[in-house]
Amino acid sequence: MPNPVLVEVTRGDLVESIHRGAVAIVDAAGAVRFSLGDIDAPIYTRSALKPFQALPLVESGAAEAFGVSDEEVALACASHSGESMHTTRVAAWLKRIGCSEADLICGPQTPRHEPTLQTMAETHEKPSRLHNNCSGKHAGFLTVAKHLGAPTADYVNISHPVQKAILESVSRLSDYRDPAWGIDGCAAPNFALPLTAFARALARLATGQTPGAARILKSMTTYPELVAGTGRHCTALMRAAQGKVAVKLGAEGVYAAMLPELGLGVALKIDDGAMRAAETAIAFVLEKLNVIPAGYATAPVVNTRGATVGERRPAEALQGIG
Amino acid sequence: MPNPVLVEVTRGDLVESIHRGAVAIVDAAGAVRFSLGDIDAPIYTRSALKPFQALPLVESGAAEAFGVSDEEVALACASHSGESMHTTRVAAWLKRIGCSEADLICGPQTPRHEPTLQTMAETHEKPSRLHNNCSGKHAGFLTVAKHLGAPTADYVNISHPVQKAILESVSRLSDYRDPAWGIDGCAAPNFALPLTAFARALARLATGQTPGAARILKSMTTYPELVAGTGRHCTALMRAAQGKVAVKLGAEGVYAAMLPELGLGVALKIDDGAMRAAETAIAFVLEKLNVIPAGYATAPVVNTRGATVGERRPAEALQGIG
């Protein structure tokens, strides 16, 4: 059975496009508090996995050994926009652990921050690996590898100690063993979990059921601009929530949320991979759970003249939450 | 009943995202030769409507009166990339009819052609209305307005003679009256047609059942780089087909094709609006109809390291064509 429509995009009097998907809201005991659609099929968690990929950095003792700051932990959890506030911090972190941009295995990526792009165009600067939205995650991987005395050359190999430590964390917190995996945009392994298992793990991170959890959440919610960037959706939601939620998007329509006060984890995936729909859906869930004020879920469809010609909005199925 | 899955995107061993949609292949007599999904619900035709929006330019005598070239007719049908080959031609055309960029009602738009963007960034040039992907269409509207002695100030008003002439052409060729309409990205009215009606109109344009049809098709297939641009999908398909098909994409997952030799029109809409899926679906339809060689439908999913980590491909439902 197809997943329900979660988000609609209108133009004039018609619904022009629809986005189907699935959502799971789960508590730390593993009870499903609310769900829509197929929450049992594994989905690639993509960058929404980053808080778990950063856990070994904190829990192995690597962060302490290398004096990793909360800002750097936030960058380890980030899909950042490649702004100088991101790239300079990652570069300094790499230098401190005796590494450099050349040690990053992620490829170069065009920053998504427009003023940065404009400056780079003017100065003929090419995108580097530091600009890759995952460069902080990779700096975290290198820090753990150094701390464990493991090779730094092949840290994205599925059998490397860094990746094994991540898999152990993910499996332990999700109660889901031997997940399927694929290669992410940054060349790191990415695990596929059912939304139930992923939301369960997020609830357990939210409620501090693993030693590094509190630091991950504190770092993300204290430095939301480092987790994403200027004008970004994750950043705006975390600012609006004032510590009540840590959120992380993932490519292909994934969004994850950790709610410490409510003791909940939220995971959703848009079937077609559209980020616009994932943004509307997660914002509406957070509005219904009263952790952000209203106004983040709907968005106008604007034409090149600046006129509003339609609307992106949560669909009927989502109204049942909370 | 939800539309079938038309396109899948894989990563590793899993299907990561899916795209549902509907397709209609119709002949000039109006017989549906093949269909998938709901072909009776009206969908906004978006820029796939442009060949019809260019018909009054040819059929009113405006093109002849103002010496409009085939290159300019191709631009009237275009969603162009804002390259200098597009903007300089539109600017010259406007000047010839006694107009200028200021008369274009479409808003400024960032060109999608990367080298053009790079040059503009270096020279601090801001996007203009000429860069709007619809600037050729608007130049066509202005040419018709001038020829009819109608006001040039309000040519996107639904009751303006230019828009009335377009609606007459669309209704006549589609046998579909009083379509719903909304405002397109460029501020022009856009009509919503069922895929059956739209494909029927495309088949009739393909087979020359209106005086201006042959010139529209010839202009599009002779100058495919003006209809879209360097590296664009529409351009590549028309080049590959060597005159056997004229294609036109539309925003939010729409694609239209006119096949003169086979006497067919093809119209498709991806439910979620994803252009990547519309591109795969139309290319596969054209491959199955033997108007382009194999190889245009599937595409690798590549990460920032340049490694292939998945595939975009036509789904099972599309295999039944032809």
Side-chain angles (χ1 to χ4, degrees):
Chain A
M1 198 167 86
N3 285 328
V5 176
L6 301 185
V7 174
E8 299 173 337
V9 182
T10 71
R11 179 175 300 269
D13 295 331
L14 301 183
V15 172
E16 181 166 29
S17 295
I18 55 173
H19 298 279
R20 296 175 181 275
V23 187
I25 305 180
V26 177
D27 66 25
V32 176
R33 299 286 194 87
F34 177 85
S35 80
L36 286 171
D38 183 353
I39 58 172
D40 298 317
I43 60 106
Y44 287 113
T45 48
R46 305 299 301 271
S47 286
L49 191 67
K50 281 172 177 163
F52 299 93
Q53 289 172 311
L55 264 184
L57 174 65
V58 178
E59 298 188 340
S60 70
E64 195 177 12
F66 284 97
V68 172
S69 67
D70 285 353
E71 291 185 355
E72 288 162 347
V73 173
L75 283 163
C77 300
S79 299
H80 66 68
S81 297
E83 301 172 59
S84 63
M85 68 175 164
H86 306 117
T87 52
T88 58
R89 281 178 173 81
V90 173
W93 178 6
L94 288 170
K95 189 171 176 190
R96 204 175 65 245
I97 66 170
C99 290
S100 73
E101 187 203 332
D103 294 298
L104 297 174
I105 292 178
C106 54
Q109 187 180 33
T110 303
R112 65 156 81 200
H113 182 242
E114 289 290 341
T116 299
L117 274 178
Q118 171 69 28
T119 304
M120 289 171 68
E122 287 169 17
T123 58
H124 294 90
E125 182 186 350
K126 296 282 172 218
S128 77
R129 297 178 186 185
L130 292 172
H131 292 108
N132 189 301
N133 79 86
C134 302
S135 67
K137 179 178 77 175
H138 283 250
F141 291 167
L142 281 165
T143 307
V144 176
K146 285 265 184 183
H147 183 65
L148 299 179
T152 55
D154 195 22
Y155 64 79
V156 297
N157 193 302
I158 189 74
S159 61
H160 187 281
V162 168
Q163 302 305 327
K164 283 188 169 174
I166 292 164
L167 177 56
E168 187 282 322
S169 297
V170 170
S171 298
R172 175 167 47 86
L173 290 168
S174 68
D175 286 335
Y176 186 78
R177 307 281 147 180
D178 301 319
W181 61 280
I183 304 295
D184 211 336
C186 67
N190 187 258
F191 300 111
L193 302 177
L195 287 175
T196 38
F198 190 36
R200 189 159 59 225
L202 290 160
R204 289 172 179 171
L205 205 58
T207 53
Q209 298 190 22
T210 187
R215 183 145 189 226
I216 299 282
L217 260 80
K218 177 182 156 224
S219 300
M220 290 178 72
T221 55
T222 307
Y223 301 104
E225 71 282 1
L226 296 182
V227 176
T230 304
R232 294 277 301 282
H233 193 258
C234 281
T235 302
L237 292 186
M238 285 192 278
R239 284 202 180 127
Q242 298 183 303
K244 288 183 190 160
V245 68
V247 295
K248 187 69 201 71
L249 59 71
E252 293 290 331
V254 177
Y255 231 122
M258 293 162 275
L259 298 96
E261 291 179 15
L262 296 177
L264 298 175
V266 181
L268 68 84
K269 158 79 180 172
I270 303 299
D271 291 355
D272 58 70
M275 292 314 304
R276 67 178 181 183
E279 292 182 354
T280 286
I282 195 74
F284 190 68
V285 169
L286 297 179
E287 286 180 17
K288 294 287 270 185
L289 294 174
N290 292 313
V291 296
I292 59 169
Y296 289 85
T298 58
V301 175
V302 178
N303 73 10
T304 56
R305 295 276 294 184
T308 294
V309 295
E311 183 185 39
R312 170 158 47 93
R313 66 192 184 198
E316 183 62 28
L318 282 172
Q319 301 289 342
I321 298 168
Chain B
M1 197 168 86
N3 285 328
V5 176
L6 301 185
V7 174
E8 299 173 336
V9 182
T10 70
R11 179 174 301 269
D13 294 332
L14 301 182
V15 172
E16 181 166 31
S17 297
I18 55 172
H19 298 280
R20 296 175 181 276
V23 187
I25 305 179
V26 177
D27 66 26
V32 176
R33 297 287 193 88
F34 178 84
S35 80
L36 286 171
D38 183 354
I39 58 172
D40 298 317
I43 60 107
Y44 287 113
T45 48
R46 305 297 302 272
S47 287
L49 190 67
K50 280 172 176 163
F52 299 93
Q53 290 173 309
L55 263 184
L57 174 66
V58 177
E59 298 188 341
S60 70
E64 194 177 13
F66 284 96
V68 172
S69 68
D70 285 353
E71 292 185 355
E72 288 162 346
V73 172
L75 284 164
C77 300
S79 299
H80 66 69
S81 296
E83 300 171 61
S84 63
M85 68 176 164
H86 305 117
T87 52
T88 56
R89 281 178 172 80
V90 173
W93 178 6
L94 288 170
K95 189 172 177 192
R96 203 176 65 246
I97 65 170
C99 290
S100 75
E101 187 203 333
D103 294 298
L104 296 174
I105 292 179
C106 55
Q109 187 179 35
T110 303
R112 65 156 81 201
H113 183 242
E114 289 290 341
T116 299
L117 274 177
Q118 170 70 29
T119 303
M120 288 172 67
E122 287 169 18
T123 58
H124 297 275
E125 181 186 352
K126 296 282 171 217
S128 76
R129 297 178 186 184
L130 292 171
H131 291 109
N132 189 300
N133 80 85
C134 302
S135 66
K137 179 178 77 174
H138 284 249
F141 290 167
L142 282 165
T143 307
V144 176
K146 285 265 184 183
H147 183 66
L148 299 179
T152 54
D154 195 23
Y155 64 79
V156 296
N157 193 302
I158 189 74
S159 60
H160 187 280
V162 168
Q163 301 305 327
K164 283 187 170 175
I166 291 165
L167 177 56
E168 187 282 321
S169 297
V170 170
S171 298
R172 175 168 46 86
L173 290 168
S174 67
D175 285 335
Y176 186 77
R177 306 282 149 180
D178 302 317
W181 61 280
I183 303 294
D184 211 335
C186 68
N190 187 259
F191 301 112
L193 302 178
L195 287 174
T196 39
F198 190 36
R200 188 160 59 225
L202 289 160
R204 288 171 179 171
L205 205 58
T207 53
Q209 298 189 24
T210 187
R215 182 140 189 228
I216 298 282
L217 259 81
K218 179 182 154 223
S219 300
M220 291 178 71
T221 55
T222 307
Y223 301 105
E225 71 282 2
L226 296 182
V227 176
T230 304
R232 294 278 301 281
H233 193 257
C234 281
T235 302
L237 292 186
M238 285 192 279
R239 283 202 179 126
Q242 299 183 304
K244 288 183 190 162
V245 69
V247 296
K248 186 69 200 74
L249 59 72
E252 293 290 331
V254 176
Y255 231 121
M258 294 163 274
L259 297 98
E261 290 178 15
L262 296 177
L264 298 175
V266 182
L268 67 85
K269 158 80 181 171
I270 303 299
D271 291 355
D272 58 72
M275 292 314 304
R276 68 179 180 182
E279 292 182 355
T280 286
I282 196 73
F284 190 67
V285 168
L286 297 179
E287 285 180 18
K288 293 287 270 185
L289 294 174
N290 293 312
V291 296
I292 59 170
Y296 289 86
T298 59
V301 174
V302 178
N303 73 8
T304 56
R305 295 276 295 185
T308 294
V309 295
E311 183 185 39
R312 169 157 48 93
R313 66 190 184 198
E316 183 63 27
L318 282 173
Q319 301 290 340
I321 299 168

